[in-house]
Amino acid sequence: MFYFGPRAQRTSESIVCLGIGGGVLVDYLSELTASNLELSAQVMESFGSADIRGVALSYVENSGISRTKAIPLSKLESALVGGVGMSPVFDAFLLDDSITSSDVSGGPMGDLRLFPDLSSATILPNEGWGWIPVNRFRQDRSPHPLDHRLFATKMVDRLRSMGISSKMSFEIEWILSSNTDGGFEPATVGPAYGLERIVELGDYLLEILDALEAAGIKVEQIHPEYAAGQFEVSVAPTSPVVAADQSVLMKHVIRTVSHNYGLRASFAPSVVAGGVGNGGHVHFSFSEGEEYLFGSGPDQRYGLTGRGESILAGVLSELDALSAIGTPTVASYLRLVPQHWAGAFKCWGVENREAALRLVRSGPLVPPTAANAEIKSFDLAASPYLVVGSVLAIAAASVDKGLTLTNPIDTDPALLDGAALAAAGVVRMPTHLRAALDALSHSDVIRTAMGNDLYTAFVAVRDAELATYGALEPDEVVAASRWKY
Ligand code: GLU
Ligand code: MG
């Protein structure tokens, strides 16, 4: 498989409707259609010669789950023109497929059109299947305001209109079970990071490497992680919406290969209550021409340029609100605890794996181009598109504010007493979904960027999950969410 490359840059200002990208009205559907037309012959030929018969179209909704409608390949070309219908009700789905509602979501009425983005079309490891992420539009051609991928696209455009390019990547952690009946039994006995796990599951890991490469994903590392049965893949940074697409695709590929081996992969934040969980760390960096905002600055400021520092300070100050996006479900807070390398403290550090915000700084072995920041607290219950959009929205809002950072935290915050934490200005990240949602409700930056409808529908799902799972015992929360993401 392949990638068809980033969508063509906007060339026309003949704008009809109806999304805000970088302060201009952008006709997102016309743009997408034009890009698709350029790519359709190539995709049809590739899909045809791979004997693709079914094409899964998918998007991520507010519970963080990918939902799909599939079409026969023969219907793909007409789908590029008119889209594929799908109810808007999924914006009100919870992780258990129950349905809540809000002023802007829920109920049996209405229809949306799913428009594939061929630039991310991929041949899946599932024999005969292709995959294409979609953007959702209303029947009047306007962008669906609750569509996560369009939100991310708009935020990329917003930064681009300021002359700033961004790159991102998601790390995927999963815990592998040999019990596929709903229970959990770790699929390995080898130790954390143990070479023994390559003995146990070398063929399986090779098949994942092959399948990811075939899906056009540039793997940088694959390794056994800390928890029993846990593994991780990290991949090269790319443009933000593609990074989010890849996050969806990587989970799908890993799930498929695991299934083929008679195993089951859990991407849930917490797989065994009290144990180390699965993170979904996001890495990001920015550049303006030849200048890398996290790497081209002076050594005494850890390589940060003034604008880079202002972005990081902006992200740091919004971390509690971002928790509602990046650690969005009740189970997230079983994982987000100190000394689990989950980034449970609201602080930044240079290569500090207990800090929620970690700078991978430039230096003798890391060129400015590779310097990046990582939010460690996020997990894979999050919609990667909301993560992308929210982080970029904060970057756009803070880059020109001249914000500064205090000194980085260079120790494990869990070892500091209350007075030392207070002196360093370090607090815990939210310890409960309620606190994260409260913080989000006070974030003008994220709320304004999301728009009222997306914010309202997202919070309705989060509130409903809190009401359903908030009072359960940890074991019950884990059992309810272990196989959902
Ligand atoms: N599993 C850890 C988490 O929950 C992350 C370990 C690491 O890669 O630093 O985020
Ligand atoms: Mg890891």
PDB file of all heavy atoms in Angstrom, residues 329-343:
ATOM      1  N   THR A 329     -11.673   9.528  29.294  1.00  0.00           N
ATOM      2  CA  THR A 329     -12.673   8.610  29.824  1.00  0.00           C
ATOM      3  C   THR A 329     -12.343   8.237  31.271  1.00  0.00           C
ATOM      4  O   THR A 329     -11.242   8.530  31.759  1.00  0.00           O
ATOM      5  CB  THR A 329     -12.790   7.364  28.917  1.00  0.00           C
ATOM      6  OG1 THR A 329     -13.959   6.623  29.263  1.00  0.00           O
ATOM      7  CG2 THR A 329     -11.559   6.465  29.036  1.00  0.00           C
ATOM      8  N   VAL A 330     -13.285   7.616  31.932  1.00  0.00           N
ATOM      9  CA  VAL A 330     -13.090   7.321  33.359  1.00  0.00           C
ATOM     10  C   VAL A 330     -11.832   6.472  33.561  1.00  0.00           C
ATOM     11  O   VAL A 330     -11.024   6.716  34.468  1.00  0.00           O
ATOM     12  CB  VAL A 330     -14.349   6.624  33.929  1.00  0.00           C
ATOM     13  CG1 VAL A 330     -14.106   6.151  35.354  1.00  0.00           C
ATOM     14  CG2 VAL A 330     -15.546   7.568  33.857  1.00  0.00           C
ATOM     15  N   ALA A 331     -11.626   5.483  32.693  1.00  0.00           N
ATOM     16  CA  ALA A 331     -10.464   4.593  32.836  1.00  0.00           C
ATOM     17  C   ALA A 331      -9.144   5.339  32.678  1.00  0.00           C
ATOM     18  O   ALA A 331      -8.104   4.894  33.178  1.00  0.00           O
ATOM     19  CB  ALA A 331     -10.544   3.465  31.810  1.00  0.00           C
ATOM     20  N   SER A 332      -9.159   6.482  31.997  1.00  0.00           N
ATOM     21  CA  SER A 332      -7.918   7.246  31.795  1.00  0.00           C
ATOM     22  C   SER A 332      -7.262   7.604  33.125  1.00  0.00           C
ATOM     23  O   SER A 332      -6.029   7.684  33.228  1.00  0.00           O
ATOM     24  CB  SER A 332      -8.202   8.536  31.027  1.00  0.00           C
ATOM     25  OG  SER A 332      -8.757   8.276  29.759  1.00  0.00           O
ATOM     26  N   TYR A 333      -8.100   7.809  34.140  1.00  0.00           N
ATOM     27  CA  TYR A 333      -7.575   8.290  35.419  1.00  0.00           C
ATOM     28  C   TYR A 333      -7.089   7.151  36.304  1.00  0.00           C
ATOM     29  O   TYR A 333      -6.461   7.382  37.341  1.00  0.00           O
ATOM     30  CB  TYR A 333      -8.617   9.210  36.086  1.00  0.00           C
ATOM     31  CG  TYR A 333      -8.781  10.405  35.167  1.00  0.00           C
ATOM     32  CD1 TYR A 333      -9.659  10.354  34.079  1.00  0.00           C
ATOM     33  CD2 TYR A 333      -7.943  11.497  35.268  1.00  0.00           C
ATOM     34  CE1 TYR A 333      -9.734  11.373  33.150  1.00  0.00           C
ATOM     35  CE2 TYR A 333      -8.003  12.529  34.352  1.00  0.00           C
ATOM     36  CZ  TYR A 333      -8.895  12.456  33.293  1.00  0.00           C
ATOM     37  OH  TYR A 333      -8.930  13.477  32.373  1.00  0.00           O
ATOM     38  N   LEU A 334      -7.328   5.911  35.884  1.00  0.00           N
ATOM     39  CA  LEU A 334      -6.688   4.770  36.537  1.00  0.00           C
ATOM     40  C   LEU A 334      -5.232   4.666  36.088  1.00  0.00           C
ATOM     41  O   LEU A 334      -4.372   4.157  36.801  1.00  0.00           O
ATOM     42  CB  LEU A 334      -7.426   3.470  36.198  1.00  0.00           C
ATOM     43  CG  LEU A 334      -8.892   3.410  36.628  1.00  0.00           C
ATOM     44  CD1 LEU A 334      -9.550   2.122  36.126  1.00  0.00           C
ATOM     45  CD2 LEU A 334      -9.011   3.521  38.155  1.00  0.00           C
ATOM     46  N   ARG A 335      -4.977   5.109  34.863  1.00  0.00           N
ATOM     47  CA  ARG A 335      -3.611   5.084  34.324  1.00  0.00           C
ATOM     48  C   ARG A 335      -2.781   6.281  34.776  1.00  0.00           C
ATOM     49  O   ARG A 335      -1.572   6.142  35.017  1.00  0.00           O
ATOM     50  CB  ARG A 335      -3.665   5.081  32.786  1.00  0.00           C
ATOM     51  CG  ARG A 335      -2.351   5.438  32.124  1.00  0.00           C
ATOM     52  CD  ARG A 335      -2.436   5.528  30.609  1.00  0.00           C
ATOM     53  NE  ARG A 335      -1.234   6.139  30.075  1.00  0.00           N
ATOM     54  CZ  ARG A 335      -1.097   7.438  29.793  1.00  0.00           C
ATOM     55  NH1 ARG A 335      -2.120   8.271  29.937  1.00  0.00           N
ATOM     56  NH2 ARG A 335       0.042   7.916  29.341  1.00  0.00           N
ATOM     57  N   LEU A 336      -3.433   7.452  34.868  1.00  0.00           N
ATOM     58  CA  LEU A 336      -2.706   8.721  35.019  1.00  0.00           C
ATOM     59  C   LEU A 336      -2.282   8.942  36.477  1.00  0.00           C
ATOM     60  O   LEU A 336      -2.755   9.857  37.155  1.00  0.00           O
ATOM     61  CB  LEU A 336      -3.603   9.865  34.516  1.00  0.00           C
ATOM     62  CG  LEU A 336      -2.972  11.234  34.276  1.00  0.00           C
ATOM     63  CD1 LEU A 336      -1.758  11.154  33.368  1.00  0.00           C
ATOM     64  CD2 LEU A 336      -4.003  12.200  33.713  1.00  0.00           C
ATOM     65  N   VAL A 337      -1.400   8.088  36.949  1.00  0.00           N
ATOM     66  CA  VAL A 337      -0.955   8.155  38.348  1.00  0.00           C
ATOM     67  C   VAL A 337       0.565   8.243  38.384  1.00  0.00           C
ATOM     68  O   VAL A 337       1.236   7.815  37.437  1.00  0.00           O
ATOM     69  CB  VAL A 337      -1.451   6.927  39.150  1.00  0.00           C
ATOM     70  CG1 VAL A 337      -2.962   6.951  39.282  1.00  0.00           C
ATOM     71  CG2 VAL A 337      -0.994   5.618  38.504  1.00  0.00           C
ATOM     72  N   PRO A 338       1.114   8.800  39.472  1.00  0.00           N
ATOM     73  CA  PRO A 338       2.569   8.989  39.538  1.00  0.00           C
ATOM     74  C   PRO A 338       3.337   7.681  39.434  1.00  0.00           C
ATOM     75  O   PRO A 338       2.850   6.615  39.797  1.00  0.00           O
ATOM     76  CB  PRO A 338       2.766   9.625  40.928  1.00  0.00           C
ATOM     77  CG  PRO A 338       1.462  10.285  41.232  1.00  0.00           C
ATOM     78  CD  PRO A 338       0.417   9.391  40.609  1.00  0.00           C
ATOM     79  N   GLN A 339       4.550   7.821  38.943  1.00  0.00           N
ATOM     80  CA  GLN A 339       5.536   6.739  38.845  1.00  0.00           C
ATOM     81  C   GLN A 339       5.044   5.584  37.960  1.00  0.00           C
ATOM     82  O   GLN A 339       5.418   4.442  38.173  1.00  0.00           O
ATOM     83  CB  GLN A 339       5.954   6.284  40.240  1.00  0.00           C
ATOM     84  CG  GLN A 339       6.600   7.459  40.997  1.00  0.00           C
ATOM     85  CD  GLN A 339       7.414   7.069  42.192  1.00  0.00           C
ATOM     86  OE1 GLN A 339       6.972   6.264  42.978  1.00  0.00           O
ATOM     87  NE2 GLN A 339       8.598   7.653  42.327  1.00  0.00           N
ATOM     88  N   HIS A 340       4.218   5.910  37.005  1.00  0.00           N
ATOM     89  CA  HIS A 340       3.842   4.962  35.952  1.00  0.00           C
ATOM     90  C   HIS A 340       4.313   5.475  34.580  1.00  0.00           C
ATOM     91  O   HIS A 340       3.881   4.972  33.559  1.00  0.00           O
ATOM     92  CB  HIS A 340       2.316   4.758  35.919  1.00  0.00           C
ATOM     93  CG  HIS A 340       1.799   3.864  37.005  1.00  0.00           C
ATOM     94  ND1 HIS A 340       2.153   4.016  38.326  1.00  0.00           N
ATOM     95  CD2 HIS A 340       0.964   2.797  36.966  1.00  0.00           C
ATOM     96  CE1 HIS A 340       1.540   3.071  39.045  1.00  0.00           C
ATOM     97  NE2 HIS A 340       0.824   2.329  38.247  1.00  0.00           N
ATOM     98  N   TRP A 341       5.136   6.510  34.596  1.00  0.00           N
ATOM     99  CA  TRP A 341       5.622   7.132  33.347  1.00  0.00           C
ATOM    100  C   TRP A 341       4.465   7.589  32.466  1.00  0.00           C
ATOM    101  O   TRP A 341       4.559   7.575  31.235  1.00  0.00           O
ATOM    102  CB  TRP A 341       6.559   6.189  32.574  1.00  0.00           C
ATOM    103  CG  TRP A 341       7.925   6.094  33.177  1.00  0.00           C
ATOM    104  CD1 TRP A 341       8.281   6.405  34.477  1.00  0.00           C
ATOM    105  CD2 TRP A 341       9.132   5.692  32.535  1.00  0.00           C
ATOM    106  NE1 TRP A 341       9.616   6.201  34.665  1.00  0.00           N
ATOM    107  CE2 TRP A 341      10.161   5.758  33.494  1.00  0.00           C
ATOM    108  CE3 TRP A 341       9.441   5.266  31.243  1.00  0.00           C
ATOM    109  CZ2 TRP A 341      11.486   5.422  33.201  1.00  0.00           C
ATOM    110  CZ3 TRP A 341      10.764   4.927  30.960  1.00  0.00           C
ATOM    111  CH2 TRP A 341      11.765   5.009  31.923  1.00  0.00           C
ATOM    112  N   ALA A 342       3.394   7.960  33.115  1.00  0.00           N
ATOM    113  CA  ALA A 342       2.212   8.389  32.367  1.00  0.00           C
ATOM    114  C   ALA A 342       2.091   9.920  32.344  1.00  0.00           C
ATOM    115  O   ALA A 342       1.141  10.440  31.772  1.00  0.00           O
ATOM    116  CB  ALA A 342       0.955   7.760  32.964  1.00  0.00           C
ATOM    117  N   GLY A 343       3.033  10.624  32.950  1.00  0.00           N
ATOM    118  CA  GLY A 343       2.971  12.091  32.941  1.00  0.00           C
ATOM    119  C   GLY A 343       1.887  12.630  33.837  1.00  0.00           C
ATOM    120  O   GLY A 343       1.049  13.430  33.422  1.00  0.00           O
TER     121      GLY A 343
END
